[in-house]
Amino acid sequence: MVQGNGSFRALPINSQFPLENSPQGNNQRFLRFPLNGKVNGLLPLADLRGVIQVALTEILPVPQVAEFLLGIMNWRGEAIWILDLAGLLGATHWCRRENVRNSGMAMLVQVQNQTVGLLVEQVNTIEVYDSQERLAISASMLPARLKSFLQGYFMDAQGNPLMLVDTHAVIQALQSL
């Protein structure tokens, strides 16, 4: 769902973006978004409950929690955690960035009946990749902490890596706090 001006509109992620026919049937759909100025991330659409625009004023800060947890907000009568996804992955915290934005897009994921909003600056496109083309992250490529939140990566048409976020690992990080 996309929230705008107090109302919800359907995000056509399931009906208008059919999977390409593949002999192996390995194609999956992903939501692409920038993690920082140089790296883009992918989130499996199968893990996505919706996408909402969130003003930082809607997030209630919670004291003495991990820095990447921006706080909680009310979404359809449910209190959900909003976390700074780039901050979790080791980038500069949302509120410490040079051009801090007053709002962002929260990708709502649900794992084991727990909904969490992964806040990013924007969401870009829905893309299809063959799951057999996913590449493993080598030990020298990224710090171990960062690797633990990723399932690997794909290469886009321009040869840029697209990091595949592991939503289950992100939720587990919250549960271990």
Side-chain angles (χ1 to χ4, degrees), residues 2 10 14 22 27-28 32 40 53 59 84 92 101 118 128-129 149-150 152 158 160:
V2 176
N14 294 322
S22 167
N27 286 341
Q28 290 181 295
R32 182 176 179 158
N40 284 294
Q53 185 171 354
I59 303 171
D84 175 7
T92 304
R101 296 179 63 162
L118 309 177
V128 178
Y129 291 94
F149 296 111
L150 301 172
Q158 291 75 36
N160 300 312

Short mmCIF file of all heavy atoms in Angstrom, two decimals, residues 2 10 14 22 27-28 32 40 53 59 84 92 101 118 128-129 149-150 152 158 160:
data_model
loop_
_atom_site.label_atom_id
_atom_site.label_comp_id
_atom_site.label_asym_id
_atom_site.label_seq_id
_atom_site.Cartn_x
_atom_site.Cartn_y
_atom_site.Cartn_z
N VAL A 2 0.44 2.25 -0.63
CA VAL A 2 1.12 3.52 -0.62
C VAL A 2 0.22 4.52 0.07
O VAL A 2 -0.94 4.64 -0.26
CB VAL A 2 1.44 4.01 -2.06
CG1 VAL A 2 2.06 5.37 -2.04
CG2 VAL A 2 2.34 3.02 -2.77
N ALA A 10 -3.71 1.26 -3.50
CA ALA A 10 -3.10 -0.05 -3.72
C ALA A 10 -1.83 0.10 -4.54
O ALA A 10 -1.79 0.85 -5.50
CB ALA A 10 -4.06 -0.97 -4.44
N ASN A 14 1.30 -7.07 -7.26
CA ASN A 14 0.98 -8.45 -7.52
C ASN A 14 0.27 -8.66 -8.86
O ASN A 14 0.52 -9.63 -9.54
CB ASN A 14 0.12 -9.03 -6.39
CG ASN A 14 0.91 -9.10 -5.11
OD1 ASN A 14 2.07 -9.40 -5.11
ND2 ASN A 14 0.26 -8.77 -4.00
N SER A 22 9.48 -18.59 -17.61
CA SER A 22 10.83 -19.12 -17.65
C SER A 22 10.73 -20.63 -17.64
O SER A 22 9.95 -21.20 -16.89
CB SER A 22 11.60 -18.64 -16.42
OG SER A 22 12.79 -19.36 -16.25
N ASN A 27 12.26 -17.22 -11.78
CA ASN A 27 12.18 -15.77 -11.71
C ASN A 27 11.43 -15.33 -10.46
O ASN A 27 10.42 -15.91 -10.09
CB ASN A 27 11.50 -15.19 -12.95
CG ASN A 27 12.39 -15.25 -14.16
OD1 ASN A 27 13.60 -15.37 -14.05
ND2 ASN A 27 11.80 -15.15 -15.33
N GLN A 28 11.97 -14.28 -9.83
CA GLN A 28 11.34 -13.70 -8.65
C GLN A 28 11.27 -12.19 -8.85
O GLN A 28 12.13 -11.61 -9.53
CB GLN A 28 12.15 -13.99 -7.39
CG GLN A 28 12.14 -15.42 -6.95
CD GLN A 28 12.95 -15.58 -5.69
OE1 GLN A 28 14.15 -15.39 -5.68
NE2 GLN A 28 12.26 -15.91 -4.60
N ARG A 32 13.23 -2.53 -5.85
CA ARG A 32 14.57 -1.92 -5.86
C ARG A 32 14.50 -0.56 -5.18
O ARG A 32 13.57 0.22 -5.39
CB ARG A 32 15.05 -1.76 -7.29
CG ARG A 32 16.44 -1.17 -7.41
CD ARG A 32 16.87 -1.14 -8.87
NE ARG A 32 18.18 -0.56 -9.00
CZ ARG A 32 18.97 -0.76 -10.04
NH1 ARG A 32 18.56 -1.51 -11.06
NH2 ARG A 32 20.15 -0.21 -10.09
N ASN A 40 22.42 -0.01 -4.46
CA ASN A 40 20.98 -0.25 -4.43
C ASN A 40 20.71 -1.59 -3.77
O ASN A 40 21.53 -2.51 -3.82
CB ASN A 40 20.41 -0.25 -5.84
CG ASN A 40 20.29 1.15 -6.39
OD1 ASN A 40 19.51 1.95 -5.88
ND2 ASN A 40 21.06 1.47 -7.41
N GLN A 53 4.36 6.02 2.81
CA GLN A 53 5.17 7.20 3.02
C GLN A 53 5.05 7.56 4.50
O GLN A 53 3.95 7.57 5.06
CB GLN A 53 4.69 8.36 2.17
CG GLN A 53 5.58 9.57 2.27
CD GLN A 53 5.23 10.64 1.26
OE1 GLN A 53 4.39 10.44 0.40
NE2 GLN A 53 5.87 11.78 1.38
N ILE A 59 6.74 9.14 13.77
CA ILE A 59 7.48 8.10 14.48
C ILE A 59 7.74 8.54 15.91
O ILE A 59 8.31 9.61 16.15
CB ILE A 59 8.81 7.79 13.77
CG1 ILE A 59 8.56 7.37 12.32
CG2 ILE A 59 9.59 6.72 14.52
CD1 ILE A 59 9.82 7.26 11.48
N ASP A 84 15.79 2.29 10.44
CA ASP A 84 16.60 2.90 9.39
C ASP A 84 17.40 1.76 8.75
O ASP A 84 18.39 1.31 9.31
CB ASP A 84 17.51 3.96 10.02
CG ASP A 84 18.49 4.59 9.06
OD1 ASP A 84 18.41 4.32 7.84
OD2 ASP A 84 19.33 5.37 9.53
N THR A 92 25.48 5.90 7.41
CA THR A 92 25.22 7.00 8.32
C THR A 92 23.75 6.98 8.75
O THR A 92 22.86 6.80 7.93
CB THR A 92 25.54 8.35 7.63
OG1 THR A 92 26.89 8.31 7.18
CG2 THR A 92 25.35 9.51 8.58
N ARG A 101 16.19 14.09 5.31
CA ARG A 101 14.84 14.24 4.79
C ARG A 101 13.84 14.13 5.92
O ARG A 101 14.05 13.40 6.88
CB ARG A 101 14.58 13.15 3.75
CG ARG A 101 15.50 13.32 2.53
CD ARG A 101 15.25 12.24 1.54
NE ARG A 101 13.88 12.38 1.05
CZ ARG A 101 13.45 11.82 -0.05
NH1 ARG A 101 14.25 11.12 -0.80
NH2 ARG A 101 12.20 11.96 -0.44
N LEU A 118 10.79 -0.87 7.13
CA LEU A 118 12.19 -0.63 6.79
C LEU A 118 12.23 0.71 6.05
O LEU A 118 11.83 0.80 4.89
CB LEU A 118 12.73 -1.75 5.90
CG LEU A 118 12.51 -3.18 6.41
CD1 LEU A 118 13.04 -4.19 5.41
CD2 LEU A 118 13.16 -3.36 7.77
N VAL A 128 12.61 -8.09 -12.04
CA VAL A 128 12.55 -9.55 -12.04
C VAL A 128 13.96 -10.09 -12.26
O VAL A 128 14.66 -9.65 -13.18
CB VAL A 128 11.60 -10.06 -13.15
CG1 VAL A 128 11.58 -11.59 -13.18
CG2 VAL A 128 10.20 -9.51 -12.93
N TYR A 129 14.37 -11.04 -11.41
CA TYR A 129 15.68 -11.69 -11.54
C TYR A 129 15.49 -13.18 -11.37
O TYR A 129 14.63 -13.64 -10.64
CB TYR A 129 16.67 -11.17 -10.48
CG TYR A 129 17.08 -9.74 -10.73
CD1 TYR A 129 16.42 -8.69 -10.11
CD2 TYR A 129 18.09 -9.43 -11.63
CE1 TYR A 129 16.76 -7.38 -10.36
CE2 TYR A 129 18.45 -8.12 -11.89
CZ TYR A 129 17.78 -7.10 -11.25
OH TYR A 129 18.11 -5.79 -11.50
N PHE A 149 22.92 -9.56 7.07
CA PHE A 149 21.60 -9.07 6.71
C PHE A 149 21.30 -9.20 5.23
O PHE A 149 20.28 -8.70 4.75
CB PHE A 149 21.43 -7.62 7.15
CG PHE A 149 21.50 -7.44 8.64
CD1 PHE A 149 22.58 -6.80 9.22
CD2 PHE A 149 20.50 -7.93 9.45
CE1 PHE A 149 22.65 -6.64 10.59
CE2 PHE A 149 20.56 -7.78 10.82
CZ PHE A 149 21.65 -7.13 11.40
N LEU A 150 22.19 -9.84 4.49
CA LEU A 150 22.02 -9.97 3.05
C LEU A 150 22.03 -11.43 2.64
O LEU A 150 22.72 -12.25 3.23
CB LEU A 150 23.14 -9.21 2.32
CG LEU A 150 23.24 -7.72 2.62
CD1 LEU A 150 24.50 -7.13 1.98
CD2 LEU A 150 22.01 -6.98 2.15
N GLY A 152 22.78 -12.24 -0.56
CA GLY A 152 23.63 -12.27 -1.75
C GLY A 152 23.34 -11.03 -2.57
O GLY A 152 22.85 -10.03 -2.06
N GLN A 158 23.69 -2.70 -16.01
CA GLN A 158 24.88 -1.84 -16.10
C GLN A 158 26.07 -2.42 -15.34
O GLN A 158 27.12 -1.79 -15.25
CB GLN A 158 24.58 -0.43 -15.55
CG GLN A 158 23.62 0.38 -16.40
CD GLN A 158 22.17 -0.09 -16.27
OE1 GLN A 158 21.73 -0.49 -15.21
NE2 GLN A 158 21.45 -0.06 -17.38
N ASN A 160 26.13 -3.13 -12.07
CA ASN A 160 26.15 -2.69 -10.67
C ASN A 160 25.54 -3.76 -9.77
O ASN A 160 24.51 -4.35 -10.14
CB ASN A 160 25.37 -1.38 -10.51
CG ASN A 160 25.95 -0.27 -11.34
OD1 ASN A 160 27.15 -0.05 -11.33
ND2 ASN A 160 25.11 0.41 -12.08
#
